[in-house]
Amino acid sequence: MINEKNINLTNRFVVCMLAMICCILWGSAFPSIKLGYRFFHIPSDAITSQILFAGMRFFLAGILTILFSSLLNKKYLVPKKSSFPKIVRLSLVQTVAQYIFFYVGLAHTTGVKSSIITASNVFLALLIPSLILKQEKLTLLKIAGCIIGFSGVVFINLNGAGIDLTMKWNGEGFIFLSALSYACSSVMIKSYSKHENPVILSGYQFFLGGFIMILCGLLGHGKIPVFSFSGVFILFYLAFVSAVAYTIWAILLKYNPVGKVAVYGFMNPVCGVTLSAFFLQESSQAFGITGIISLLLVCAGIFMVNKSE
């Protein structure tokens, strides 16, 4: 993990590099999850089995985060008694609510719509601390940067197929609630990490959130039909992605305004489409003019938001 004492975590170049590592890792999760479903023989409509799979991923991510951080600190990291209520609230919002809403919503809408609506979490993460909590200043440059970055996400997902305007409460509605949960969790991490170790918060909230999701999956009769070496490898990789990316993200949020970090979230779908195209041969758009224009728009949006800080 990151040694906070030896790195200037407010430096724009450092923030950019670390945030991009997170986005690449999260982007790799898109094809990895699909491969996991394939290796474990989980059908696309088996929502409770998918929630069980996600719960196993985050439960393992919690163990890995706590274990690695304890080894680096040469002592077992245990949260303070006063930290438990924060860990519970964070796990319910960041892990349980976000991913249950996401998996159920994804089953009732298209991947294109899901990707675009999910990208709205950047707007929400910017607006909540600025307009509701009055913690950060909202500027025209920030708003313009978010709009330009968001247009890049829309551009790479449309792929010339267009998008209909139908809305379902358990489809697009749940995807939006997932995005809202993510945005709220970013603000919570920013607030809690003022007095808490963000690594401890991440590790234990993953552990608890994953356990709750496993229970939800099992109570809904979810199951993992087939265990294989490939499936277990993917499961450990996804746990590694969550453990590393969310921990780095939490540390960045501790030292920087939420908007300055959250805007890099526009890179997630770009990385996801690009890596899916490479590993799953799903689309050629990521390597053509569409991908280049989308990347330029997202980068321009990120630059504008950071310029306003």
Side-chain angles (χ1 to χ4, degrees), residues 96-144:
V96 179
Q98 180 187 171
Y99 284 96
I100 287 182
F101 279 134
F102 181 78
Y103 281 113
V104 175
L106 190 60
H108 295 91
T109 188
T110 64
V112 170
K113 281 186 176 180
S114 298
S115 184
I116 293 172
I117 295 171
T118 298
S120 68
N121 62 39
V122 177
F123 285 109
L124 295 169
L126 189 70
L127 294 175
I128 291 173
S130 299
L131 300 182
I132 299 177
L133 301 178
K134 308 295 184 182
Q135 294 176 343
E136 299 177 15
K137 186 178 179 180
L138 186 64
T139 65
L140 289 176
L141 197 58
K142 279 185 178 181
I143 296 172

Side-chain angles (χ1 to χ4, degrees), residues 74 96 164:
K74 298 180 180 179
V96 179
D164 64 80

Side-chain angles (χ1 to χ4, degrees), residues 101 104-105 108 166-177:
F101 279 134
V104 175
H108 295 91
T166 59
M167 297 281 288
K168 294 188 288 289
W169 67 271
N170 61 344
E172 293 81 5
F174 272 24
I175 294 295
F176 179 77
L177 289 176

Side-chain angles (χ1 to χ4, degrees), residues 12 139 141-142 260 300-309:
R12 289 183 180 180
T139 65
L141 197 58
K142 279 185 178 181
K260 182 179 179 180
I302 292 171
F303 174 79
M304 291 174 72
V305 171
N306 279 278
K307 190 72 174 177
S308 68
E309 295 293 345

Side-chain angles (χ1 to χ4, degrees), residues 115-281:
S115 184
I116 293 172
I117 295 171
T118 298
S120 68
N121 62 39
V122 177
F123 285 109
L124 295 169
L126 189 70
L127 294 175
I128 291 173
S130 299
L131 300 182
I132 299 177
L133 301 178
K134 308 295 184 182
Q135 294 176 343
E136 299 177 15
K137 186 178 179 180
L138 186 64
T139 65
L140 289 176
L141 197 58
K142 279 185 178 181
I143 296 172
C146 280
I147 292 173
I148 291 173
F150 186 71
S151 67
V153 175
V154 173
F155 196 74
I156 199 170
N157 277 283
L158 288 182
N159 194 28
I163 185 169
D164 64 80
L165 298 178
T166 59
M167 297 281 288
K168 294 188 288 289
W169 67 271
N170 61 344
E172 293 81 5
F174 272 24
I175 294 295
F176 179 77
L177 289 176
S178 173
L180 179 60
S181 298
Y182 171 86
C184 289
S185 71
S186 295
V187 177
M188 291 168 69
I189 291 171
K190 174 68 177 177
S191 176
Y192 292 166
S193 60
K194 291 179 181 177
H195 307 289
E196 304 287 344
N197 184 329
V199 177
I200 292 178
L201 286 176
S202 292
Y204 282 92
Q205 75 87 11
F206 276 141
F207 183 83
L208 178 60
F211 179 74
I212 294 172
M213 291 183 74
I214 288 173
L215 285 181
C216 290
L218 291 175
L219 289 173
H221 304 291
K223 60 182 180 179
I224 306 297
V226 175
F227 270 91
S228 65
F229 174 80
S230 298
V232 172
F233 176 82
I234 286 292
L235 179 61
F236 269 87
Y237 175 72
L238 285 168
F240 168 81
V241 165
S242 295
V244 174
Y246 273 107
T247 299
I248 293 175
W249 201 257
I251 292 173
L252 289 176
L253 286 170
K254 177 179 179 178
Y255 293 99
N256 298 276
V258 175
K260 182 179 179 180
V261 179
V263 69
Y264 285 95
F266 284 136
M267 285 299 301
N268 289 343
V270 176
C271 291
V273 169
T274 302
L275 293 172
S276 293
F278 183 79
F279 288 108
L280 302 178
Q281 290 81 48

